[in-house]
Amino acid sequence: MTTNQLFALFCDLALIIVLARILGAAAQRLSQPAVIGEVLAGILLGPTFLGHSVPEFLFPPEVRPMLTALADVGMAVFMFIVGLELDRKILRGTGRLAVTVAVSCILLPFGLGTLLALGLADDHAQGHRLGFVLFMGTAMSVTAFPVLARILTDRRMQHTPIGGLALACAAIGDVLAWCMLAAVVALVGGGGGDQWLLLLLVPYAGVMVWVVRPLLRRLVAAAGSRLTPAVLTVVLAGLLVSGAITERIGLHFIFGAFLFGVVMPKESESTERLRADIVDRIGDVSGQLLQPVFFIIVGLKVDLSDLGGSGWLDFALILLVAVSGKFVGAFLSARAFRVTARQSAVLATLMNTRGLTELIILTAGLQLGVLNERLYSLMVVMAVVTTAMAGPLLAVLRPRALADQDPVIPVRNAQSPVTKR
């Protein structure tokens, strides 16, 4: 690496951190998740508004691979945290309501997404046509569990019946969506000529559950509730090695990082404290440096400058399918359990948030060659719009004046009070 490359890299990182902080804070002032402002920072620096010469000057081609590498590390860390925070206790006692809503929020968007993909395939599919169709269906099915949790916390809904139900539905739905994406990646052939390596996925998952998990439990028990340097070293090395293995066998590295987070022990109060410390320690570095780099890289690839009428028509169809699939699936399935219309609409609105999870899936699709850059741009904007819609819609459907009327109860008891309202 030359002196000029180091100079450009360090200056770019400084620019990214500052812009992400400023626009992320501005988004929060507007009652939006910070991810909205951070992605917009990347789009504002990209070819949509500045053409191609200015972005290439700010982010030279020889520096972008380094930024992409940092962004990939940020993706891995984020997916580890998602797996770490996917507590099985959220799913206990949620009953048929949560399962039905979660499955409906997967099947209907997936079906509509595949139908839309069939219409877009002639213009946008490249390489594996079936993989493109299935990927589009999967991308339409995602709910961003972490962004949803943040929205619930900001609106003091995390302990309400409808908030707990939304978290349970999003957790179930995200697990299903990741399984679907894994199948798509395997179908497309991310492993190249070594597709036989995919056969190692089952024994690898078995080793993670029955070997790595007990070893982690012993390590955590020995450390107590303290995040020691040894524990932090094992966590960081483990998530990276796990991601490397799944990347090597033909799946994307995000699956390995996610699985390592899932198998981290979460059974006792001490492990809860340790988990919180891990999220705080790793999350700070990831949130302040690695994730902003990822958002900027995402935004720099968005080019809406020459869409034309057909491009905006495609975007309108994508947005319509994305919103209606999630909303109708959640609303009708909740109403089938006699949930009130207002609460069903609130739940459907929450399930429409896509956030960073969707951006990670879209980036994986672009890296695999399933999406072209034009459709990738449209899908990124769809993810931003559907996430930004949540705040204003919740303000209408559930004004803060009604917030105190929701009983504060555990999620496993949420079904009965929700259906009474």
Side-chain angles (χ1 to χ4, degrees):
M1 184 180 296
T2 66
T3 299
N4 289 337
Q5 289 175 332
L6 277 174
F7 175 80
L9 177 63
F10 289 172
C11 290
D12 285 344
L13 289 175
L15 176 63
I16 288 169
I17 292 172
V18 172
L19 279 180
R21 177 63 180 173
I22 293 174
L23 292 185
Q28 290 178 320
R29 291 289 298 271
L30 297 174
S31 300
Q32 292 289 344
V35 61
I36 299 296
E38 292 168 341
V39 174
L40 287 177
I43 295 177
L44 291 174
L45 290 173
T48 299
F49 295 98
L50 300 179
H52 292 278
S53 58
V54 175
E56 288 183 1
F57 172 77
L58 294 175
F59 303 94
E62 63 271 15
V63 174
R64 293 197 185 194
M66 307 173 201
L67 294 175
T68 301
L70 288 174
D72 287 343
V73 175
M75 289 170 60
V77 172
F78 176 79
M79 289 307 302
F80 163 76
I81 293 176
V82 171
L84 186 64
E85 294 187 326
L86 189 62
D87 195 340
R88 289 175 293 177
K89 291 186 293 185
I90 293 177
L91 308 180
R92 294 174 186 166
T94 54
R96 291 184 301 158
L97 175 56
V99 175
T100 302
V101 172
V103 172
S104 299
C105 286
I106 290 289
L107 292 182
L108 185 57
F110 181 83
L112 294 177
T114 54
L115 290 176
L116 175 63
L118 290 173
L120 298 176
D122 290 338
D123 294 329
H124 298 286
Q126 49 186 38
H128 205 293
R129 188 181 181 93
L130 178 59
F132 169 78
V133 172
L134 295 178
F135 179 88
M136 285 292 291
T138 302
M140 293 293 184
S141 306
V142 173
T143 296
F145 180 85
V147 174
L148 173 60
R150 180 57 185 268
I151 290 174
L152 292 174
T153 301
D154 291 344
R155 299 189 66 85
R156 297 183 300 166
M157 294 175 62
Q158 70 272 29
H159 297 303
T160 63
I162 197 68
L165 178 61
L167 280 176
C169 294
I172 297 170
D174 269 10
V175 171
L176 294 175
W178 289 121
C179 292
M180 292 162 54
L181 181 61
V184 173
V185 173
L187 177 66
V188 171
D194 296 330
Q195 293 186 25
W196 63 270
L197 290 172
L198 286 170
L199 298 175
L200 299 176
L201 177 61
V202 174
Y204 173 68
V207 169
M208 292 292 290
V209 173
W210 290 304
V211 178
V212 174
R213 183 180 178 87
L215 291 176
L216 289 172
R217 189 179 293 115
R218 291 183 184 180
L219 177 66
V220 170
S225 60
R226 296 178 298 110
L227 180 59
T228 64
V231 173
L232 185 59
T233 299
V234 169
V235 168
L236 290 173
L239 76 91
L240 293 173
V241 170
S242 183
I245 291 174
T246 54
E247 179 74 23
R248 181 64 186 90
I249 66 178
L251 291 177
H252 204 276
F253 63 83
I254 57 178
F255 297 106
F258 175 75
L259 181 58
F260 192 79
V262 170
V263 301
M264 286 289 296
K266 311 177 179 71
E267 294 84 1
S268 64
E269 183 178 346
S270 62
T271 57
E272 289 287 340
R273 291 195 297 269
L274 182 63
R275 181 174 63 162
D277 288 342
I278 292 174
V279 172
D280 288 341
R281 186 80 63 86
I282 299 179
D284 281 344
V285 176
S286 178
Q288 295 297 322
L289 176 62
L290 299 178
Q291 287 183 26
V293 173
F294 171 74
F295 294 134
I296 295 298
I297 293 298
V298 167
L300 287 175
K301 295 175 182 176
V302 173
D303 187 359
L304 306 175
S305 59
D306 59 348
L307 282 184
S310 61
W312 288 112
L313 177 60
D314 289 345
F315 173 71
L317 291 173
I318 290 171
L319 189 61
L320 176 63
V321 168
V323 174
S324 61
K326 281 286 187 182
F327 194 94
V328 173
F331 183 87
L332 292 183
S333 56
R335 290 291 288 158
F337 280 79
R338 293 183 294 178
V339 181
T340 64
R342 182 177 66 85
Q343 293 283 59
S344 298
V346 169
L347 179 62
T349 300
L350 291 169
M351 298 304 292
N352 241 314
T353 57
R354 288 175 169 84
L356 181 53
T357 306
E358 176 79 359
L359 298 179
I360 289 177
I361 288 180
L362 296 178
T363 301
L366 187 63
Q367 292 174 346
L368 292 168
V370 179
L371 295 180
N372 59 25
E373 292 190 1
R374 184 184 181 92
L375 187 56
Y376 169 84
S377 300
L378 298 178
M379 294 291 287
V380 167
V381 177
M382 177 275 291
V384 172
V385 171
T386 53
T387 305
M389 287 169 49
L393 286 177
L394 287 175
V396 174
L397 296 171
R398 189 181 181 275
R400 294 190 183 273
L402 299 177
D404 296 333
Q405 298 181 17
D406 290 325
V408 180
I409 60 174
V411 64
R412 57 179 173 272
N413 298 326
Q415 183 173 336
S416 176
V418 170
T419 55
K420 288 180 181 177
R421 290 185 61 81

